[in-house]
Amino acid sequence: MTETLTIGKALNLGLRRAMEDDAKVVLMGEDIGKLGGVFRITDGLQKDFGEDRVVDTPLAEAGILGTAVGLAMRGYRPVCEIQFDGFVFPAYNQIVTQVAKIHARSKGRVAMPIVIRIPMGGGIGAVEHHSESPEAYFAHTAGLKVVAVSNPVDAYWGIQQAIAHPDPIVFLEPKRRYWEKAEVDTSATPDPLFGSRVVRGGDDVTLLAYGPMVKTALQAAQAAADEGRSIEVIDLRTVSPLDLDPVFESVRRTGRCVVVHEAPTTLGLGAEIAARVTETCFHSLEAPVLRVGGYDTPYPPSKLEEEYLPDLDRVLDAVDRAMGF
Amino acid sequence: MTALRQATEVVDPVPGASAPHLPQQPDLVQLLTPEGERVEQPDYSLDISDEELRSLYRDLALVRRWDVEATALQRQGELGIWASLLGQEAAQVGAGRALADGDMAFPTYREHGVAWARGVDPLDVMSLFRGVDNGGWDPVARRFNLYTIVIGAQCLHATGYAMGVQRDGSEDAVLAFLGDGATSQGEVNEAMVFAASFAAPVVFFCQNNQYAISVPLERQTRIPLYQRAAGFGFPGVRVDGNDVLAVLAVTRAALQAAREGQGPTFIEAFTYRMGAHTTSDDPTRYRLASELEEWKLRDPIARLKAHLSRDGIADAAFFESVDAEGDELAARIRTGTVEMPDPAPSSMFEHVYAEQTPPLAAQQAEFEAYHASFEGGVER
Ligand SMILES: Cc1ncc(C[n+]2csc(CCOP(=O)(O)OP(=O)(O)O)c2C)c(N)n1
Ligand SMILES: [Mg+2]
């Protein structure tokens, strides 16, 4: 069955299906019950599944993640909503020292099938702490997997796959794209969760993005095509583990690679990707791998966020530099 | 999970009205009834002049006028968001006016009434909600910290500041603001542990406005919030948050105790968020309109006005002059907000460090050069 869904609605339906499929799935978070979450991702779920399965928690992120650990140990599959990216840090201790390490610590005897949903990134005109891109903190932590969806199809399937997965997953949702629509075939066979995907073919430059920047990358590729440049766009889809084989294959053809993310450039995902591409495709490269990211400043007040966030111009500028090498 | 449901049911609809397992405490300190009648409280007597009473009214009315204007400006697209203080004017003005000049206050994001009492220019608050900066005032000069949006974090800062005051041998006191929801945060509880342990001169001023966005108080606590203080080892008191006189008296007393080395106090200002959580919120999804109607009967401004009129402390001309002043203030806020210039793009690189780093300076230079490249009209 095919439906036109926004990313937000696709997540909502995906959560609903996951809850129907497995009675152990428990949603936890601030304002996710009656209100349906500040972005309405859990809209209607408490009404249909009850307060024991859709839990409005006290206002405490360490509490949410810490009790999720206990629930997981008791056989539940907690899906924790963090209201905004900037508010995950009270829970950071639990995520990094406990959620991430319990499987290894227990020699595999205790699994941590926890999903941590975080609306991520900027571009919504918000005040401080509502526009952060914290993916690298999590990707740098062994034991966590990090997924960053970019579209309704991946949102719908990805959230279900993440919930069914045995390892803890930080599930990043592109908050400024929540309202983007696409056709979702809810009876299709989904792509695997941890795989990157070529979303536009091209020969001149390989352009990599994930989450909210995929749309920007595709727009840049279209604008470049109008100027006669052929750009291949790859949606990484998963930030940890990285699936770089399709990237290597692409870069061997194009010889040029540009990585885009909203997070600060220094020590962001682009740094890891640039190193890996250079190590693996050194002899095919015609230019260094270039990064387009946020600046190494705090996320600025919203009047300046358009200056901070990578946009079409900055991506195309990097493409020009890669081509001009 | 019936146990959970049962536990929910035993909580009184007016939280704290009955808690039979706990020692009896004076439940709600009130100096002014909702009808505007003065009542005496032996522990919190307030000697206040007519002049002061009128100026409290003026503050309440002006702060509300500012709030109404800000909500309108947000609706018109001039602010990104606005966190309204509607209904909490007395709690905030009362607490703010209790501060001595040297005292330091640590607000959340809703304390516009305290900002006002500290002499912060409303436009320096508007700039935050417009997305121009993170608050334009000087927190050191105003003795009013910048707004803290991460729930509860400022309670630890306030406590540490108070520990500094102790080391200085000064008589300053510190006022930490928090919401009912914030009381669940680990950091807030750590702040109370530190404050108690070191007998720090800090007062925790909790505006219990009954909600944390959509989540009602009973999700955060099973006992009246002020009674939590006993567990940390310092006094807790519940004050009628819609009674500016009671709030002023109780906060003054708590700050004075802190000054005198008696350590922290927890004040629960019992009040109600009469508006939405912010302009992004839709309270019809989680609470009944009838609740608001009930609280309107306890409106903090109407109450003081009734008192001033009844006791002949202010006349119609006074109220008219405050209204006129409110309109002027609103006009100034409107013009100042609409005409507020955007920050310079490269200002985001400034002040990241006290000592700028070479890599960031280089990034800034690159950013400026990139920007300049568009000025010749080569923008795509
Ligand atoms: C650590 C953290 N988590 C979540 C949020 C999102 N948030 C903003 S306000 C709020 C509710 C706060 O409730 P309360 O403490 O009662 O203060 P009130 O807004 O009612 O004044 C929440 C959950 C936040 N700002 N910080
Ligand atoms: Mg509250």
PDB file of all heavy atoms in Angstrom, chain A residues 264-266 294-298 308, chain B residues 346-368:
ATOM      1  N   PRO A 264      29.724  21.137  13.366  1.00  0.00           N
ATOM      2  CA  PRO A 264      30.989  21.816  13.132  1.00  0.00           C
ATOM      3  C   PRO A 264      31.956  20.927  12.335  1.00  0.00           C
ATOM      4  O   PRO A 264      32.017  19.715  12.548  1.00  0.00           O
ATOM      5  CB  PRO A 264      31.517  22.080  14.542  1.00  0.00           C
ATOM      6  CG  PRO A 264      30.298  22.169  15.386  1.00  0.00           C
ATOM      7  CD  PRO A 264      29.318  21.206  14.777  1.00  0.00           C
ATOM      8  N   THR A 265      32.688  21.551  11.445  1.00  0.00           N
ATOM      9  CA  THR A 265      33.546  20.804  10.524  1.00  0.00           C
ATOM     10  C   THR A 265      34.659  20.071  11.268  1.00  0.00           C
ATOM     11  O   THR A 265      34.932  18.904  10.985  1.00  0.00           O
ATOM     12  CB  THR A 265      34.164  21.791   9.510  1.00  0.00           C
ATOM     13  OG1 THR A 265      33.090  22.543   8.935  1.00  0.00           O
ATOM     14  CG2 THR A 265      34.905  21.044   8.419  1.00  0.00           C
ATOM     15  N   THR A 266      35.289  20.765  12.202  1.00  0.00           N
ATOM     16  CA  THR A 266      36.437  20.183  12.880  1.00  0.00           C
ATOM     17  C   THR A 266      36.035  18.947  13.682  1.00  0.00           C
ATOM     18  O   THR A 266      35.146  19.017  14.544  1.00  0.00           O
ATOM     19  CB  THR A 266      37.079  21.227  13.813  1.00  0.00           C
ATOM     20  OG1 THR A 266      37.492  22.333  13.005  1.00  0.00           O
ATOM     21  CG2 THR A 266      38.282  20.645  14.534  1.00  0.00           C
ATOM     22  N   GLY A 294      29.218  23.122   9.576  1.00  0.00           N
ATOM     23  CA  GLY A 294      29.023  24.280  10.434  1.00  0.00           C
ATOM     24  C   GLY A 294      30.383  24.819  10.843  1.00  0.00           C
ATOM     25  O   GLY A 294      31.401  24.137  10.715  1.00  0.00           O
ATOM     26  N   TYR A 295      30.420  26.053  11.305  1.00  0.00           N
ATOM     27  CA  TYR A 295      31.686  26.636  11.758  1.00  0.00           C
ATOM     28  C   TYR A 295      31.980  26.163  13.175  1.00  0.00           C
ATOM     29  O   TYR A 295      31.119  25.599  13.854  1.00  0.00           O
ATOM     30  CB  TYR A 295      31.619  28.158  11.664  1.00  0.00           C
ATOM     31  CG  TYR A 295      31.394  28.606  10.242  1.00  0.00           C
ATOM     32  CD1 TYR A 295      30.153  29.082   9.812  1.00  0.00           C
ATOM     33  CD2 TYR A 295      32.419  28.500   9.291  1.00  0.00           C
ATOM     34  CE1 TYR A 295      29.934  29.453   8.492  1.00  0.00           C
ATOM     35  CE2 TYR A 295      32.211  28.865   7.975  1.00  0.00           C
ATOM     36  CZ  TYR A 295      30.964  29.340   7.588  1.00  0.00           C
ATOM     37  OH  TYR A 295      30.756  29.685   6.275  1.00  0.00           O
ATOM     38  N   ASP A 296      33.201  26.410  13.595  1.00  0.00           N
ATOM     39  CA  ASP A 296      33.616  25.942  14.933  1.00  0.00           C
ATOM     40  C   ASP A 296      33.236  26.965  15.995  1.00  0.00           C
ATOM     41  O   ASP A 296      34.066  27.430  16.771  1.00  0.00           O
ATOM     42  CB  ASP A 296      35.121  25.657  14.932  1.00  0.00           C
ATOM     43  CG  ASP A 296      35.452  24.511  13.983  1.00  0.00           C
ATOM     44  OD1 ASP A 296      34.679  23.528  13.953  1.00  0.00           O
ATOM     45  OD2 ASP A 296      36.450  24.598  13.248  1.00  0.00           O
ATOM     46  N   THR A 297      31.967  27.307  15.992  1.00  0.00           N
ATOM     47  CA  THR A 297      31.412  28.286  16.932  1.00  0.00           C
ATOM     48  C   THR A 297      30.183  27.643  17.566  1.00  0.00           C
ATOM     49  O   THR A 297      29.668  26.662  17.038  1.00  0.00           O
ATOM     50  CB  THR A 297      30.939  29.559  16.191  1.00  0.00           C
ATOM     51  OG1 THR A 297      29.785  29.227  15.401  1.00  0.00           O
ATOM     52  CG2 THR A 297      32.016  30.114  15.278  1.00  0.00           C
ATOM     53  N   PRO A 298      29.726  28.192  18.677  1.00  0.00           N
ATOM     54  CA  PRO A 298      28.416  27.733  19.147  1.00  0.00           C
ATOM     55  C   PRO A 298      27.384  27.992  18.043  1.00  0.00           C
ATOM     56  O   PRO A 298      27.551  28.935  17.255  1.00  0.00           O
ATOM     57  CB  PRO A 298      28.141  28.626  20.359  1.00  0.00           C
ATOM     58  CG  PRO A 298      29.486  29.130  20.794  1.00  0.00           C
ATOM     59  CD  PRO A 298      30.294  29.251  19.537  1.00  0.00           C
ATOM     60  N   TYR A 308      25.319  30.147   9.048  1.00  0.00           N
ATOM     61  CA  TYR A 308      26.070  29.061   9.684  1.00  0.00           C
ATOM     62  C   TYR A 308      25.861  27.738   8.948  1.00  0.00           C
ATOM     63  O   TYR A 308      26.794  26.968   8.748  1.00  0.00           O
ATOM     64  CB  TYR A 308      25.599  28.929  11.136  1.00  0.00           C
ATOM     65  CG  TYR A 308      26.228  27.803  11.925  1.00  0.00           C
ATOM     66  CD1 TYR A 308      27.388  28.011  12.675  1.00  0.00           C
ATOM     67  CD2 TYR A 308      25.655  26.535  11.936  1.00  0.00           C
ATOM     68  CE1 TYR A 308      27.958  26.981  13.405  1.00  0.00           C
ATOM     69  CE2 TYR A 308      26.222  25.503  12.666  1.00  0.00           C
ATOM     70  CZ  TYR A 308      27.369  25.731  13.400  1.00  0.00           C
ATOM     71  OH  TYR A 308      27.928  24.707  14.125  1.00  0.00           O
TER      72      TYR A 308
ATOM     73  N   SER B 346      29.579  37.890  10.824  1.00  0.00           N
ATOM     74  CA  SER B 346      30.809  37.324  11.378  1.00  0.00           C
ATOM     75  C   SER B 346      30.886  37.472  12.899  1.00  0.00           C
ATOM     76  O   SER B 346      31.832  36.999  13.525  1.00  0.00           O
ATOM     77  CB  SER B 346      32.043  37.919  10.699  1.00  0.00           C
ATOM     78  OG  SER B 346      32.395  39.121  11.307  1.00  0.00           O
ATOM     79  N   SER B 347      29.829  38.082  13.492  1.00  0.00           N
ATOM     80  CA  SER B 347      29.841  38.200  14.956  1.00  0.00           C
ATOM     81  C   SER B 347      29.762  36.832  15.630  1.00  0.00           C
ATOM     82  O   SER B 347      30.098  36.692  16.801  1.00  0.00           O
ATOM     83  CB  SER B 347      28.690  39.080  15.436  1.00  0.00           C
ATOM     84  OG  SER B 347      27.449  38.473  15.163  1.00  0.00           O
ATOM     85  N   MET B 348      29.333  35.817  14.894  1.00  0.00           N
ATOM     86  CA  MET B 348      29.254  34.488  15.545  1.00  0.00           C
ATOM     87  C   MET B 348      30.625  33.935  15.916  1.00  0.00           C
ATOM     88  O   MET B 348      30.732  33.043  16.749  1.00  0.00           O
ATOM     89  CB  MET B 348      28.469  33.495  14.678  1.00  0.00           C
ATOM     90  CG  MET B 348      29.134  33.071  13.408  1.00  0.00           C
ATOM     91  SD  MET B 348      28.154  31.778  12.597  1.00  0.00           S
ATOM     92  CE  MET B 348      28.024  32.446  10.950  1.00  0.00           C
ATOM     93  N   PHE B 349      31.660  34.489  15.288  1.00  0.00           N
ATOM     94  CA  PHE B 349      33.016  34.026  15.613  1.00  0.00           C
ATOM     95  C   PHE B 349      33.586  34.747  16.831  1.00  0.00           C
ATOM     96  O   PHE B 349      34.645  34.407  17.317  1.00  0.00           O
ATOM     97  CB  PHE B 349      33.955  34.250  14.422  1.00  0.00           C
ATOM     98  CG  PHE B 349      33.615  33.391  13.232  1.00  0.00           C
ATOM     99  CD1 PHE B 349      32.748  33.851  12.256  1.00  0.00           C
ATOM    100  CD2 PHE B 349      34.148  32.116  13.116  1.00  0.00           C
ATOM    101  CE1 PHE B 349      32.419  33.058  11.168  1.00  0.00           C
ATOM    102  CE2 PHE B 349      33.826  31.315  12.032  1.00  0.00           C
ATOM    103  CZ  PHE B 349      32.954  31.786  11.051  1.00  0.00           C
ATOM    104  N   GLU B 350      32.880  35.786  17.264  1.00  0.00           N
ATOM    105  CA  GLU B 350      33.410  36.596  18.360  1.00  0.00           C
ATOM    106  C   GLU B 350      33.045  36.005  19.721  1.00  0.00           C
ATOM    107  O   GLU B 350      31.980  35.426  19.888  1.00  0.00           O
ATOM    108  CB  GLU B 350      32.864  38.028  18.255  1.00  0.00           C
ATOM    109  CG  GLU B 350      33.547  38.789  17.131  1.00  0.00           C
ATOM    110  CD  GLU B 350      32.756  40.012  16.687  1.00  0.00           C
ATOM    111  OE1 GLU B 350      31.849  40.446  17.422  1.00  0.00           O
ATOM    112  OE2 GLU B 350      33.050  40.510  15.580  1.00  0.00           O
ATOM    113  N   HIS B 351      33.934  36.183  20.655  1.00  0.00           N
ATOM    114  CA  HIS B 351      33.694  35.785  22.052  1.00  0.00           C
ATOM    115  C   HIS B 351      33.577  34.283  22.260  1.00  0.00           C
ATOM    116  O   HIS B 351      33.144  33.853  23.322  1.00  0.00           O
ATOM    117  CB  HIS B 351      32.432  36.451  22.611  1.00  0.00           C
ATOM    118  CG  HIS B 351      32.406  37.933  22.425  1.00  0.00           C
ATOM    119  ND1 HIS B 351      33.344  38.763  22.981  1.00  0.00           N
ATOM    120  CD2 HIS B 351      31.571  38.724  21.718  1.00  0.00           C
ATOM    121  CE1 HIS B 351      33.069  40.010  22.646  1.00  0.00           C
ATOM    122  NE2 HIS B 351      32.006  40.014  21.871  1.00  0.00           N
ATOM    123  N   VAL B 352      33.904  33.469  21.250  1.00  0.00           N
ATOM    124  CA  VAL B 352      33.849  32.020  21.481  1.00  0.00           C
ATOM    125  C   VAL B 352      34.856  31.673  22.579  1.00  0.00           C
ATOM    126  O   VAL B 352      34.598  30.834  23.441  1.00  0.00           O
ATOM    127  CB  VAL B 352      34.145  31.243  20.185  1.00  0.00           C
ATOM    128  CG1 VAL B 352      34.131  29.736  20.452  1.00  0.00           C
ATOM    129  CG2 VAL B 352      33.130  31.607  19.104  1.00  0.00           C
ATOM    130  N   TYR B 353      35.985  32.353  22.515  1.00  0.00           N
ATOM    131  CA  TYR B 353      37.013  32.199  23.549  1.00  0.00           C
ATOM    132  C   TYR B 353      37.388  33.580  24.085  1.00  0.00           C
ATOM    133  O   TYR B 353      37.257  34.574  23.371  1.00  0.00           O
ATOM    134  CB  TYR B 353      38.268  31.552  22.972  1.00  0.00           C
ATOM    135  CG  TYR B 353      38.028  30.194  22.355  1.00  0.00           C
ATOM    136  CD1 TYR B 353      37.893  30.067  20.974  1.00  0.00           C
ATOM    137  CD2 TYR B 353      37.941  29.052  23.145  1.00  0.00           C
ATOM    138  CE1 TYR B 353      37.671  28.829  20.392  1.00  0.00           C
ATOM    139  CE2 TYR B 353      37.721  27.816  22.570  1.00  0.00           C
ATOM    140  CZ  TYR B 353      37.582  27.701  21.195  1.00  0.00           C
ATOM    141  OH  TYR B 353      37.361  26.475  20.633  1.00  0.00           O
ATOM    142  N   ALA B 354      37.885  33.616  25.296  1.00  0.00           N
ATOM    143  CA  ALA B 354      38.448  34.860  25.813  1.00  0.00           C
ATOM    144  C   ALA B 354      39.709  35.191  25.012  1.00  0.00           C
ATOM    145  O   ALA B 354      40.033  36.355  24.764  1.00  0.00           O
ATOM    146  CB  ALA B 354      38.789  34.708  27.297  1.00  0.00           C
ATOM    147  N   GLU B 355      40.417  34.147  24.603  1.00  0.00           N
ATOM    148  CA  GLU B 355      41.631  34.307  23.801  1.00  0.00           C
ATOM    149  C   GLU B 355      41.387  33.601  22.474  1.00  0.00           C
ATOM    150  O   GLU B 355      41.379  32.364  22.428  1.00  0.00           O
ATOM    151  CB  GLU B 355      42.796  33.656  24.551  1.00  0.00           C
ATOM    152  CG  GLU B 355      44.154  34.053  24.071  1.00  0.00           C
ATOM    153  CD  GLU B 355      45.216  33.423  24.972  1.00  0.00           C
ATOM    154  OE1 GLU B 355      45.339  33.851  26.146  1.00  0.00           O
ATOM    155  OE2 GLU B 355      45.874  32.483  24.509  1.00  0.00           O
ATOM    156  N   GLN B 356      41.129  34.347  21.442  1.00  0.00           N
ATOM    157  CA  GLN B 356      40.811  33.769  20.140  1.00  0.00           C
ATOM    158  C   GLN B 356      41.900  32.795  19.698  1.00  0.00           C
ATOM    159  O   GLN B 356      43.083  33.026  19.926  1.00  0.00           O
ATOM    160  CB  GLN B 356      40.651  34.909  19.109  1.00  0.00           C
ATOM    161  CG  GLN B 356      40.416  34.488  17.685  1.00  0.00           C
ATOM    162  CD  GLN B 356      39.035  33.854  17.468  1.00  0.00           C
ATOM    163  OE1 GLN B 356      38.663  32.918  18.175  1.00  0.00           O
ATOM    164  NE2 GLN B 356      38.295  34.367  16.504  1.00  0.00           N
ATOM    165  N   THR B 357      41.520  31.686  19.078  1.00  0.00           N
ATOM    166  CA  THR B 357      42.515  30.715  18.615  1.00  0.00           C
ATOM    167  C   THR B 357      42.880  31.003  17.159  1.00  0.00           C
ATOM    168  O   THR B 357      42.035  31.482  16.392  1.00  0.00           O
ATOM    169  CB  THR B 357      41.960  29.281  18.694  1.00  0.00           C
ATOM    170  OG1 THR B 357      40.879  29.153  17.757  1.00  0.00           O
ATOM    171  CG2 THR B 357      41.469  28.955  20.103  1.00  0.00           C
ATOM    172  N   PRO B 358      44.114  30.701  16.774  1.00  0.00           N
ATOM    173  CA  PRO B 358      44.500  30.919  15.370  1.00  0.00           C
ATOM    174  C   PRO B 358      43.593  30.182  14.382  1.00  0.00           C
ATOM    175  O   PRO B 358      43.182  30.785  13.381  1.00  0.00           O
ATOM    176  CB  PRO B 358      45.948  30.429  15.319  1.00  0.00           C
ATOM    177  CG  PRO B 358      46.449  30.589  16.734  1.00  0.00           C
ATOM    178  CD  PRO B 358      45.265  30.317  17.619  1.00  0.00           C
ATOM    179  N   PRO B 359      43.237  28.916  14.615  1.00  0.00           N
ATOM    180  CA  PRO B 359      42.370  28.269  13.622  1.00  0.00           C
ATOM    181  C   PRO B 359      41.009  28.957  13.488  1.00  0.00           C
ATOM    182  O   PRO B 359      40.484  29.081  12.377  1.00  0.00           O
ATOM    183  CB  PRO B 359      42.190  26.842  14.169  1.00  0.00           C
ATOM    184  CG  PRO B 359      43.321  26.627  15.105  1.00  0.00           C
ATOM    185  CD  PRO B 359      43.667  27.959  15.668  1.00  0.00           C
ATOM    186  N   LEU B 360      40.449  29.410  14.614  1.00  0.00           N
ATOM    187  CA  LEU B 360      39.134  30.046  14.509  1.00  0.00           C
ATOM    188  C   LEU B 360      39.254  31.422  13.848  1.00  0.00           C
ATOM    189  O   LEU B 360      38.388  31.818  13.068  1.00  0.00           O
ATOM    190  CB  LEU B 360      38.468  30.155  15.884  1.00  0.00           C
ATOM    191  CG  LEU B 360      36.981  30.526  15.835  1.00  0.00           C
ATOM    192  CD1 LEU B 360      36.177  29.510  15.031  1.00  0.00           C
ATOM    193  CD2 LEU B 360      36.396  30.655  17.237  1.00  0.00           C
ATOM    194  N   ALA B 361      40.338  32.119  14.138  1.00  0.00           N
ATOM    195  CA  ALA B 361      40.564  33.408  13.475  1.00  0.00           C
ATOM    196  C   ALA B 361      40.674  33.193  11.965  1.00  0.00           C
ATOM    197  O   ALA B 361      40.125  33.967  11.163  1.00  0.00           O
ATOM    198  CB  ALA B 361      41.827  34.069  14.026  1.00  0.00           C
ATOM    199  N   ALA B 362      41.360  32.128  11.570  1.00  0.00           N
ATOM    200  CA  ALA B 362      41.506  31.842  10.137  1.00  0.00           C
ATOM    201  C   ALA B 362      40.144  31.510   9.529  1.00  0.00           C
ATOM    202  O   ALA B 362      39.821  31.958   8.424  1.00  0.00           O
ATOM    203  CB  ALA B 362      42.482  30.679   9.940  1.00  0.00           C
ATOM    204  N   GLN B 363      39.360  30.752  10.275  1.00  0.00           N
ATOM    205  CA  GLN B 363      38.027  30.403   9.771  1.00  0.00           C
ATOM    206  C   GLN B 363      37.173  31.661   9.595  1.00  0.00           C
ATOM    207  O   GLN B 363      36.444  31.801   8.615  1.00  0.00           O
ATOM    208  CB  GLN B 363      37.362  29.437  10.753  1.00  0.00           C
ATOM    209  CG  GLN B 363      36.319  28.563  10.107  1.00  0.00           C
ATOM    210  CD  GLN B 363      35.761  27.545  11.099  1.00  0.00           C
ATOM    211  OE1 GLN B 363      34.985  27.885  11.997  1.00  0.00           O
ATOM    212  NE2 GLN B 363      36.173  26.297  10.950  1.00  0.00           N
ATOM    213  N   GLN B 364      37.289  32.564  10.550  1.00  0.00           N
ATOM    214  CA  GLN B 364      36.535  33.819  10.456  1.00  0.00           C
ATOM    215  C   GLN B 364      36.966  34.623   9.221  1.00  0.00           C
ATOM    216  O   GLN B 364      36.123  35.144   8.485  1.00  0.00           O
ATOM    217  CB  GLN B 364      36.730  34.647  11.730  1.00  0.00           C
ATOM    218  CG  GLN B 364      36.005  35.994  11.673  1.00  0.00           C
ATOM    219  CD  GLN B 364      35.968  36.710  13.022  1.00  0.00           C
ATOM    220  OE1 GLN B 364      36.524  36.222  13.998  1.00  0.00           O
ATOM    221  NE2 GLN B 364      35.308  37.843  13.062  1.00  0.00           N
ATOM    222  N   ALA B 365      38.274  34.682   8.998  1.00  0.00           N
ATOM    223  CA  ALA B 365      38.781  35.435   7.839  1.00  0.00           C
ATOM    224  C   ALA B 365      38.267  34.810   6.539  1.00  0.00           C
ATOM    225  O   ALA B 365      37.842  35.515   5.611  1.00  0.00           O
ATOM    226  CB  ALA B 365      40.308  35.454   7.863  1.00  0.00           C
ATOM    227  N   GLU B 366      38.272  33.498   6.501  1.00  0.00           N
ATOM    228  CA  GLU B 366      37.775  32.787   5.318  1.00  0.00           C
ATOM    229  C   GLU B 366      36.295  33.084   5.107  1.00  0.00           C
ATOM    230  O   GLU B 366      35.845  33.316   3.990  1.00  0.00           O
ATOM    231  CB  GLU B 366      37.949  31.288   5.578  1.00  0.00           C
ATOM    232  CG  GLU B 366      38.454  30.473   4.422  1.00  0.00           C
ATOM    233  CD  GLU B 366      38.682  29.040   4.892  1.00  0.00           C
ATOM    234  OE1 GLU B 366      39.763  28.750   5.457  1.00  0.00           O
ATOM    235  OE2 GLU B 366      37.744  28.234   4.743  1.00  0.00           O
ATOM    236  N   PHE B 367      35.556  33.075   6.219  1.00  0.00           N
ATOM    237  CA  PHE B 367      34.117  33.352   6.176  1.00  0.00           C
ATOM    238  C   PHE B 367      33.878  34.762   5.625  1.00  0.00           C
ATOM    239  O   PHE B 367      33.020  34.977   4.771  1.00  0.00           O
ATOM    240  CB  PHE B 367      33.532  33.213   7.584  1.00  0.00           C
ATOM    241  CG  PHE B 367      32.082  33.612   7.714  1.00  0.00           C
ATOM    242  CD1 PHE B 367      31.073  32.712   7.447  1.00  0.00           C
ATOM    243  CD2 PHE B 367      31.731  34.908   8.114  1.00  0.00           C
ATOM    244  CE1 PHE B 367      29.733  33.075   7.570  1.00  0.00           C
ATOM    245  CE2 PHE B 367      30.406  35.281   8.237  1.00  0.00           C
ATOM    246  CZ  PHE B 367      29.402  34.362   7.968  1.00  0.00           C
ATOM    247  N   GLU B 368      34.673  35.701   6.104  1.00  0.00           N
ATOM    248  CA  GLU B 368      34.480  37.086   5.663  1.00  0.00           C
ATOM    249  C   GLU B 368      34.831  37.244   4.182  1.00  0.00           C
ATOM    250  O   GLU B 368      34.138  37.939   3.436  1.00  0.00           O
ATOM    251  CB  GLU B 368      35.300  38.037   6.545  1.00  0.00           C
ATOM    252  CG  GLU B 368      34.607  38.245   7.898  1.00  0.00           C
ATOM    253  CD  GLU B 368      35.511  38.843   8.980  1.00  0.00           C
ATOM    254  OE1 GLU B 368      36.689  39.141   8.698  1.00  0.00           O
ATOM    255  OE2 GLU B 368      35.019  38.989  10.128  1.00  0.00           O
TER     256      GLU B 368
END
